[in-house]
Amino acid sequence: MLSVHTSPLHQPGTGDAGGMNVYMVELSRALAREGARVDLFTRCLGEDRPARVELASGVRVLHLAAGPRRPLPKEAMPGLVPDFARSLLAATAHSRYDVVHSHYWLAGQAGARVAGRRHIPLVHTMHTLARVKNASLAPGDRPEPELRVRGEAALARAADRLIANTVEEQVALRELYGADADRTDVVTPGVDVRIFRPADGRRAARARLGLPQDGFIPLFAGRIQPLKGPDVLLHSVAALLRDSPGLRGRLLVPVVGGLSGAGTRLPDELRDLGARLGLGDVVRFQAAAPQRELADWYRAADVLVMPSRSESFGLVALESQACGTPVLAAAVGGLPAAVRDEVTGLLVPGHDPDDYARRLRWFAEHPARAAAMGRAAAGHARRLDWRSTARGTLGSYARALRDRSSKAGQERRHVPAPAAASSRRCKRAAVPA
């Protein structure tokens, strides 16, 4: 497995680490439990981590030299792809792999080069799509570059198999990128119900986190960037208090996560917005939390709010539901697949704060019905586990190997290199075979 721009070891909810990081880690562990051996290759960032990290039995994270050993913005990453591919070829010169599975378009570019040289199939998961994101940008947000659009289109043609999280993503790949539906497999992500579960309930979770037992607590959890819509949440809370001022005394809105993407350009923007809206006594900003603590935040909340402008699936929604907490989410991307409208949560068409405010008021005024949604949510999430995801992924690998075998001797489809200059290469790290 390949990830160029973010490491499976990074804390989700910070920087470029999010659902994709969780996906790679949990899928790899589940694949290993099904009998596979998985090596996750990522870029060395000079974080004093060893060249090889044993993530689980049968799963290793291997760090490759590609450019300077420090974090870089995504905009600089295309120039590192050739270096990453060369390091990967050197590190795997004496190893045998059956499949290359790349995550996000940057890793796909490197994966295509390596899979071609090794004569093994390339399976690719996009995770997000530039054309989908660009169609739903927040005001003032930067569109994804044309270089990425072209890179994704090339991968849609070149990968032996594409894995989409939902049928909606499969359709977007076909309609926006010309991907062949016969080479696109829909494999739904899962949730770790050993960590994300109702456990000892809301009161105990609130006690551990120091939250008021009688509070009404809508939660935001995830990376703080315009794409995730935290500004929509704050405007919604302001509208809620305008129409229901009596809620102020018991309303608390935790925002759990770190700055990411466009959010890092104006790091105080969300806090400043909260202050301008008069929410300084209501909104509490919390750093991104490890999974076991994050599960307590889900359990403690009355509802998780996800006003995302784009979402390939929304693992956060699944985690919250697994903890018995319903979800109020935008009806975009994969969220309608993750959340059963009016059963495990409520879906909102669009991003009008007044629409979210009305639904937040419903959760505040109907705690018994919201609790019933939470119970249904926990049952819904239990049926979506990583074992099923791993088995679906293994099926995609098998089809890729079968298709590759049937095309033996044919010239592999070509993926053009990104049109950017390569950054200065750092000293290569020794990677054990």
Side-chain angles (χ1 to χ4, degrees):
M1 287 199 190
L2 310 181
S3 174
V4 174
H5 76 287
T6 183
S7 168
L9 301 178
H10 288 164
Q11 169 65 53
T14 60
D16 288 321
M20 188 181 110
N21 301 71
V22 175
Y23 181 102
M24 288 187 294
V25 168
E26 297 299 338
L27 174 60
S28 297
R29 288 171 170 163
L31 287 170
R33 289 193 290 271
E34 294 297 311
R37 292 179 61 194
V38 183
D39 283 348
L40 285 149
F41 288 91
T42 191
R43 191 172 77 89
C44 175
L45 300 182
E47 298 169 311
D48 294 327
R49 287 195 172 109
R52 179 180 67 186
V53 176
E54 299 290 336
L55 188 64
S57 177
V59 182
R60 306 187 297 182
V61 176
L62 303 168
H63 295 94
L64 299 178
R69 294 189 182 193
R70 65 175 186 273
L72 293 171
K74 275 188 186 178
E75 293 80 4
M77 291 293 169
L80 303 183
V81 167
D83 270 3
F84 188 89
R86 281 190 289 268
S87 289
L88 182 59
L89 283 167
T92 60
H94 303 292
S95 302
R96 181 185 176 277
Y97 294 91
D98 297 294
V99 175
V100 176
H101 186 173
S102 53
H103 296 267
Y104 194 67
W105 78 278
L106 292 165
Q109 294 285 322
R113 291 163 171 76
V114 173
R117 288 281 296 274
R118 295 283 183 257
H119 305 292
I120 57 177
L122 172 69
V123 176
H124 182 71
T125 304
M126 294 284 191
H127 290 282
T128 61
L129 295 168
R131 284 178 171 151
V132 172
K133 291 178 71 173
N134 287 348
S136 53
L137 290 173
D141 202 2
R142 293 179 186 171
E144 293 295 312
E146 182 61 23
L147 177 64
R148 176 179 173 183
V149 174
R150 294 198 306 269
E152 289 177 345
L155 282 164
R157 296 188 301 270
D160 292 273
R161 307 295 299 183
L162 296 168
I163 292 181
N165 289 330
T166 63
V167 172
E168 290 78 11
E169 185 182 355
Q170 182 188 43
V171 171
L173 282 165
R174 184 181 71 244
E175 294 183 349
L176 300 178
Y177 292 92
D180 184 350
D182 291 338
R183 290 190 296 108
T184 306
D185 301 314
V186 177
V187 182
T188 305
V191 64
D192 187 346
V193 294
R194 296 168 301 177
I195 294 175
F196 298 105
R197 55 192 179 89
D200 48 3
R202 180 175 295 163
R203 292 188 64 83
R206 289 188 177 187
R208 285 190 290 270
L209 294 171
L211 302 176
Q213 292 292 344
D214 61 346
F216 174 57
I217 303 180
L219 169 71
F220 177 93
R223 290 179 290 164
I224 299 174
Q225 56 173 270
L227 186 73
K228 301 296 184 182
D231 58 309
V232 177
L233 171 61
L234 295 195
H235 282 291
S236 303
V237 171
L240 174 66
L241 291 177
R242 181 190 64 226
D243 296 337
S244 303
L247 277 175
R248 183 177 285 272
R250 66 187 190 95
L251 180 64
L252 176 65
V253 184
V255 176
V256 180
L259 294 170
S260 175
T264 60
R265 295 198 297 268
L266 297 169
D268 297 321
E269 185 175 32
L270 198 63
R271 291 178 184 271
D272 293 344
L273 175 61
R276 291 197 303 273
L277 294 173
L279 303 177
D281 61 328
V282 169
V283 178
R284 178 188 296 183
F285 292 93
Q286 299 285 147
Q291 285 192 318
R292 294 190 183 279
E293 182 183 339
L294 182 59
D296 261 350
W297 282 106
Y298 292 137
R299 295 182 194 110
D302 289 276
V303 58
L304 174 78
V305 187
M306 290 188 71
S308 304
R309 293 178 169 90
S310 178
E311 202 70 67
S312 61
F313 181 72
L315 284 176
V316 168
L318 203 55
E319 292 170 353
S320 176
Q321 291 173 96
C323 291
T325 299
V327 178
L328 173 61
V332 300
L335 286 171
V339 180
R340 297 179 62 192
D341 192 23
E342 299 187 1
V343 178
T344 69
L346 297 176
L347 295 173
V348 184
H351 298 87
D352 184 340
D354 289 334
D355 289 341
Y356 285 86
R358 283 192 291 273
R359 288 163 174 83
L360 283 172
R361 185 165 59 251
W362 183 90
F363 279 104
E365 294 175 352
H366 300 89
R369 292 170 67 184
M373 271 189 179
R375 290 190 292 273
H380 168 60
R382 277 196 299 270
R383 292 189 286 273
L384 298 171
D385 62 3
W386 285 110
R387 184 183 188 187
S388 298
T389 307
R391 290 182 170 182
T393 302
L394 287 170
S396 190
Y397 294 168
R399 286 185 285 276
L401 286 161
R402 180 199 65 207
D403 294 347
R404 172 54 67 106
S405 177
S406 69
K407 296 175 189 174
Q410 292 185 13
E411 184 177 356
R412 182 175 182 82
R413 291 179 290 270
H414 174 67
V415 176
S422 176
S423 299
R424 178 180 57 85
R425 291 165 61 189
C426 66
K427 181 180 178 182
R428 295 193 185 280
V431 180

